[in-house]
Amino acid sequence: MPGLRVVLDTNVLVSGLAYPGSIPGRIVTAWRQGGLDVVLSRYILDELSRVLPRLSRVSLGVDEIRDLVDSFMFLADIVEPAGAQDDQLRDRADQPVLRTLLAGNANYLITGDKDLLVLARRYPIVTPAEFWMRHGG
């Protein structure tokens, strides 16, 4: 895995934090231990900040969530989503995530979002399980 640049979609980050023993959890752990180069955008981090407080599985207070997101800013390469809009993307709200992949020159976008996964023939988009099968274990 060393040297791989990946974008972790919000759903992977949330699953990884909520279920550390899951495949997303292993991916997040690999990143936090220096085994992956992760590319994120402010959009993904803002979405993470909005989602985490609603999860009963993750018992973090507002200040702890802010500290966690701030730490991710130091661990990840933060890019501004760039590139052309993709008219094939079914959910317009996913444009910044796809554009993070493009702006960050990442090897993969790892996501569980079906609206993004349908574009896997055109972009290097994989599920956490696919990524882990290829590179993790």
Side-chain angles (χ1 to χ4, degrees):
M1 271 194 278
L4 281 178
R5 285 177 61 83
V6 300
V7 174
L8 300 180
D9 196 359
T10 307
N11 58 67
V12 175
L13 290 168
V14 168
S15 294
L17 294 169
Y19 302 96
S22 68
I23 291 175
R26 290 184 226 162
I27 293 169
V28 169
T29 298
W31 165 42
R32 293 175 87 177
Q33 293 176 346
L36 278 174
D37 293 330
V38 170
V39 178
L40 298 174
S41 62
R42 180 48 100 172
Y43 176 86
I44 293 170
L45 292 172
D46 288 347
E47 191 173 46
L48 181 64
S49 295
R50 287 191 310 273
V51 172
L52 280 179
R54 298 190 305 232
L55 295 178
S56 60
R57 178 99 177 141
V58 177
S59 57
L60 297 174
V62 174
D63 291 337
E64 293 168 306
I65 290 171
R66 186 176 44 247
D67 290 346
L68 177 68
V69 170
D70 286 348
S71 74
F72 285 179
M73 289 181 68
F74 290 104
L75 291 171
D77 183 8
I78 306 299
V79 299
E80 184 66 31
Q85 300 278 335
D86 191 311
D87 294 333
Q88 300 291 315
L89 191 55
R90 300 184 302 202
D91 183 353
R92 294 277 180 232
D94 289 329
Q95 289 287 352
V97 177
L98 180 62
R99 293 170 63 212
T100 299
L101 168 71
L102 300 173
N105 270 338
N107 300 102
Y108 294 103
L109 164 58
I110 305 172
T111 186
D113 186 322
K114 291 182 175 139
D115 291 322
L116 286 163
L117 288 166
V118 298
L119 298 178
R121 289 191 189 135
R122 297 179 49 214
Y123 301 99
I125 302 173
V126 295
T127 66
E130 289 171 318
F131 177 79
W132 196 254
M133 190 171 63
R134 291 180 194 176
H135 300 287

